[in-house]
Amino acid sequence: MKENIIPITLISIFSVLLWGSVSLSDEYFTTITMPVRIADVPSGMSLADYSPRMVTVNVKGEGWQIAGMTYGRDLDFVVPIGNKSGIAELDLEKAAEKNYWMTSSIQLVDVKPEKLQYTIEELVIKKVPIVPELDLQFKSGYDVVSKISVKPDSVEISGPASIVNEIDTIKTTRTRFAELFKSVSTGVSVQGREAIKPNPEQVLVEFDVQKIVDKVFEGVTVETRNVPSFRNLNLYPDKINIVLRGGINTLGTLTSDDLKPFVTFKQAMRDTSGVITPVVSPPDFTKLIDTKPNKLEYIIKKY
């Protein structure tokens, strides 16, 4: 019995192959839907729009040819424009005959839709600034402490005039950064648009991330500004403590001299309470938390 297993298996395989060979030698019809791809756009011109984007092709041929045409292949419907420009249309059945998947053994039945409408315009090149599209998420206690730098800060875009002339900026692709706790320097793709090609297609995005802390700057002298030459504005006290919040490294490089709190003579002249509030402009990417004291007494002396 065991001796018969191998011959029976071989006979079964041969029968299947024979059946397949006979079946595939018959003529078959098949319908294939594929995307349209425009080719041979004239030099100095650009494709602005076209329709349809997908076509349905009906073909017939022997099973072997149909299988070879479709098996394991992503087909597209190539439409060569040639020297045509402006607003025009093409016969898709004629274009089908020039496609790589059409062989002498494949017969085209029809193409739906029958016509392609398209617009070819002058190719325009324009330089526009880049806007980074970033989704930043930080580890607890961390934050960004610098401007987001993009290098280069602008790119050239090329495409049909009617589209390019309406574009003032171009964005990067939205990129997510999670659990940030240190500086970032990475390449990000420029966001593509149909019919528009950016150059370069990738830019470098950089920004600084630090642990956020508070720091007290003690005994900072308060300046008096815009005091007339025949007047004197005395403050009591004339020094304050300033509490800033910011990146640990950023605050570490600051000194009291960098803060420059001040009051103006006009503040004192307009005051009716006997005290004025010093103005403190915190450095970029820091936040003013407190000033102690936050009200100063003053005396105006006349010479």
Side-chain angles (χ1 to χ4, degrees):
M1 181 66 178
K2 292 183 179 180
E3 290 82 359
N4 294 330
I5 293 177
I6 294 177
I8 292 172
T9 302
L10 292 175
I11 291 171
S12 299
I13 294 172
F14 177 76
S15 299
V16 171
L17 292 175
L18 181 61
W19 174 83
S21 177
V22 172
S23 297
L24 289 174
S25 65
D26 293 339
E27 191 170 69
Y28 288 86
F29 288 83
T30 190
T31 299
I32 308 169
T33 299
M34 58 184 79
V36 174
R37 178 166 62 87
I38 306 299
D40 298 339
V41 176
S43 176
M45 307 298 288
S46 180
L47 179 66
D49 192 19
Y50 65 97
S51 180
R53 302 302 174 96
M54 303 289 292
V55 296
T56 299
V57 179
N58 292 301
V59 296
K60 69 177 181 178
E62 290 187 356
W64 289 110
Q65 280 79 33
I66 296 295
M69 171 187 172
T70 59
Y71 183 73
R73 302 173 70 182
D74 294 323
L75 302 179
D76 52 14
F77 194 101
V78 180
V79 181
I81 296 297
N83 293 322
K84 295 184 179 181
S85 61
I87 301 174
E89 68 175 23
L90 283 171
D91 188 311
L92 289 177
E93 189 167 323
K94 291 182 179 179
E97 298 170 358
K98 301 177 182 179
N99 270 260
Y100 60 95
W101 40 263
M102 277 295 296
T103 66
S104 58
S105 57
I106 298 293
Q107 182 179 345
L108 180 69
V109 178
D110 61 35
V111 181
K112 298 295 182 183
E114 298 177 352
K115 302 290 184 179
L116 172 83
Q117 290 79 37
Y118 67 90
T119 303
I120 298 290
E121 298 180 5
E122 178 189 2
L123 177 69
V124 171
I125 299 175
K126 178 181 178 181
K127 199 166 189 177
V128 295
I130 299 173
V131 177
E133 284 282 292
L134 307 178
D135 179 9
L136 305 182
Q137 298 180 8
F138 303 92
K139 288 186 68 173
S140 178
Y142 289 80
D143 207 340
V144 63
V145 294
S146 72
K147 291 182 179 179
I148 296 176
S149 167
V150 182
K151 299 177 182 178
D153 60 3
S154 57
V155 296
E156 287 186 341
I157 57 172
S158 59
S162 64
I163 299 177
V164 170
N165 291 338
E166 294 297 319
I167 299 175
D168 295 320
T169 61
I170 192 165
K171 298 178 180 180
T172 65
T173 55
R174 178 165 285 278
T175 306
R176 182 174 180 268
F177 297 89
E179 293 293 298
L180 289 170
F181 66 95
K182 61 181 179 180
S183 298
V184 171
S185 178
T186 188
V188 175
S189 297
V190 178
Q191 195 175 102
R193 286 184 56 177
E194 189 172 24
I196 299 298
K197 182 179 180 181
N199 181 35
E201 296 182 352
Q202 190 175 72
V203 294
L204 182 67
V205 171
E206 295 181 317
F207 54 92
D208 191 13
V209 176
Q210 297 176 20
K211 185 174 181 61
I212 302 302
V213 298
D214 291 350
K215 181 177 179 180
V216 180
F217 296 83
E218 297 182 343
V220 184
T221 300
V222 180
E223 298 179 29
T224 55
R225 296 184 180 179
N226 304 322
V227 180
S229 58
F230 56 90
R231 302 282 188 181
N232 194 17
L233 178 61
N234 296 327
L235 303 175
Y236 301 95
D238 63 353
K239 297 181 186 294
I240 60 174
N241 295 339
I242 298 174
V243 183
L244 292 184
R245 179 171 295 162
I248 187 170
N249 297 332
T250 301
L251 293 181
T253 63
L254 295 177
T255 67
S256 298
D257 293 337
D258 298 314
L259 303 184
K260 295 181 171 44
F262 67 92
V263 296
T264 65
F265 186 76
K266 186 178 290 187
Q267 281 180 271
M269 293 300 294
R270 290 178 175 177
D271 173 65
T272 59
S273 64
V275 292
I276 52 179
T277 301
V279 178
V280 181
S281 299
D284 291 342
F285 302 101
T286 65
K287 181 179 180 181
L288 177 65
I289 301 301
D290 196 10
T291 58
K292 296 180 180 180
N294 56 17
K295 300 286 186 181
L296 306 178
E297 295 181 352
Y298 64 92
I299 295 177
I300 299 175
K301 290 184 177 181
K302 182 180 179 181
Y303 292 101

